[in-house]
């Protein structure tokens, strides 16, 4: 027999029991911090880029995620193919450079900026409040004042989708295994959450969605992934896993 969705609290108990064995389940998902580019100061590309470099994604994964989870290096997880660019990493965690970029952009460090989230536990968002507080603390380290706003899901999601939040946490687990379930959903004009779509990204997404050849599609997604880092419409934090536990006697677990 076995159980699914082992929580972080139960993990030590399972690990200490010789009669049980853990199996991480990896699937395509992500947690992201969305940024609305129609709301100042986030209409400034340099500000968005700096925020992306001010978050230590690896530390957040180490502190709050189950084993097998990974810190994000680009828009989609490795399992999205065509889509994920092998060997490519967007600009990494660099708080000193981030602070300098904000200073150069005329960012107002005296103001308070609201980061909204809803307390809905998911494999990609296993500890919502703690993750939000960690991001708040990391941004505070370079002088950014973040106010956290925990909201009810029923009102939170419609508000985000209407473009009424500056900064917000949401996530995604794919509905079907294709890049269009990622790029088209988030980075085209169909989503108001991030404000105005980026024409150079949108043009390539539409073109990729019309192609059948995976090599030709990948060439377009390679370009999109770099443009994503440049425009920083969101900050992808992590790709989560779930853990299954079975009795040690059970074999051939898939």
């Amino acid at each position: 027999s076995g159980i699914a969705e082992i929580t972080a609290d139960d993990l030590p108990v399972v690990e200490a029991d010789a009669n049980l064995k853990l199996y991480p389940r990896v699937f395509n998902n992500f947690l992201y911090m969305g940024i609305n580019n129609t709301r100042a100061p986030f209409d400034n590309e340099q500000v968005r880029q700096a925020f992306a470099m001010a978050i230590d994604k690896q530390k957040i994964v180490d502190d709050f995620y189950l084993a097998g989870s990974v810190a994000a290096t680009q828009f989609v997880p490795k399992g999205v193919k065509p889509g994920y660019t092998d060997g490519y990493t967007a600009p990494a965690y660099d708080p000193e450079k981030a602070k300098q970029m904000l200073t150069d952009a005329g960012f107002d460090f005296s103001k308070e900026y609201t980061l909204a989230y809803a307390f809905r536990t998911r494999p990609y968002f296993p500890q919502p409040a703690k993750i939000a507080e960690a991001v708040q603390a990391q941004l505070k380290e370079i002088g950014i004042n973040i106010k956290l706003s925990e909201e009810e899901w029923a009102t939170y999601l419609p508000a985000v989708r209407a473009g009424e939040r500056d900064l917000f946490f949401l996530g995604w687990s794919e509905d079907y295994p294709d890049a269009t379930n990622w790029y088209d959903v988030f980075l085209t004009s169909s989503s108001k959450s991030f404000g105005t779509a980026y024409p150079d990204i949108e043009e390539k997404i539409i073109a990729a969605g019309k192609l059948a050849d995976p090599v030709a599609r990948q060439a377009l997604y390679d370009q999109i992934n770099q443009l994503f880092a440049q425009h920083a419409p969101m900050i992808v934090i992590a790709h989560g896993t779930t853990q299954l536990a079975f009795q040690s006697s059970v074999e051939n677990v898939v």
Side-chain angles (χ1 to χ4, degrees):
S1 62
I3 49 176
E5 312 296 343
I6 302 296
T7 66
D9 293 337
D10 294 331
L11 204 55
V13 177
V14 176
E15 288 176 325
D17 192 334
N19 295 314
L20 298 174
K21 187 174 179 182
L22 281 167
Y23 294 87
R25 176 176 173 254
V26 179
F27 59 104
N28 294 332
N29 64 54
F30 64 20
L31 171 72
Y32 64 88
M33 188 174 91
I35 307 173
N36 191 318
N37 66 11
T38 64
R39 301 168 75 92
F42 305 109
D43 52 348
N44 186 323
E45 187 164 275
Q46 193 165 315
V47 168
R48 299 194 302 271
Q49 291 172 353
F51 266 64
M53 295 168 65
I55 296 175
D56 188 345
K57 302 172 184 180
Q58 188 60 57
K59 180 161 181 26
I60 289 170
V61 168
D62 292 343
D63 290 348
F64 305 113
Y65 282 76
L66 293 175
S69 303
V70 295
T73 61
Q74 53 185 281
F75 174 57
V76 293
K78 285 185 177 181
V80 179
K81 278 287 193 176
Y84 181 87
T85 300
D86 291 322
Y88 173 71
T89 300
Y93 175 58
D94 191 339
E96 289 184 11
K97 185 175 181 182
K99 186 168 186 178
Q100 187 59 55
M101 288 173 67
L102 289 172
T103 302
D104 293 345
F107 183 81
D108 189 346
F109 288 95
S110 70
K111 285 188 177 179
E112 188 175 61
Y113 304 92
T114 301
L115 171 55
Y117 72 99
F119 199 100
R120 297 243 307 183
T121 302
R122 292 288 184 271
Y124 51 72
F125 204 17
Q127 301 184 60
K130 289 182 179 180
I131 292 170
E133 288 163 5
V135 169
Q136 178 189 42
Q138 289 179 4
L139 294 175
K140 183 65 176 176
E141 287 175 12
I142 65 167
I144 301 171
N145 299 304
I146 293 292
K147 175 187 176 183
L148 297 178
S149 175
E150 183 181 317
E151 303 181 22
E152 292 295 327
W153 181 253
T155 52
Y156 173 69
L157 189 60
V160 169
R161 286 179 170 170
E164 296 170 0
R165 296 292 178 270
D166 294 14
L167 302 171
F168 55 92
F169 277 123
L170 276 176
W172 183 254
S173 295
E174 68 182 7
D175 296 317
Y176 57 89
D178 187 77
T180 54
N181 195 225
W182 295 82
Y183 295 88
D184 300 50
V185 170
F186 291 96
L187 302 179
T188 63
S189 302
S190 62
S191 175
K192 294 181 181 177
S193 305
F194 311 103
T196 306
Y198 302 86
D200 51 355
I201 289 181
E202 190 170 37
E203 176 188 357
K204 289 178 171 56
I205 289 172
I206 293 169
K210 293 177 180 178
L211 297 175
D213 177 18
V215 175
R217 292 183 76 196
Q218 186 61 53
L220 285 168
Y221 290 127
D222 289 343
Q223 296 174 51
I224 294 166
N225 292 336
Q226 294 194 37
L227 288 169
F228 175 85
Q230 175 193 324
H231 295 311
M234 65 164 81
I235 302 166
V236 184
I237 307 287
H239 311 295
T241 61
T242 57
Q243 294 277 357
L244 315 178
F246 282 81
Q247 290 179 318
S248 301
S249 58
V250 177
E251 298 179 353
N252 302 318
V253 174
V254 178

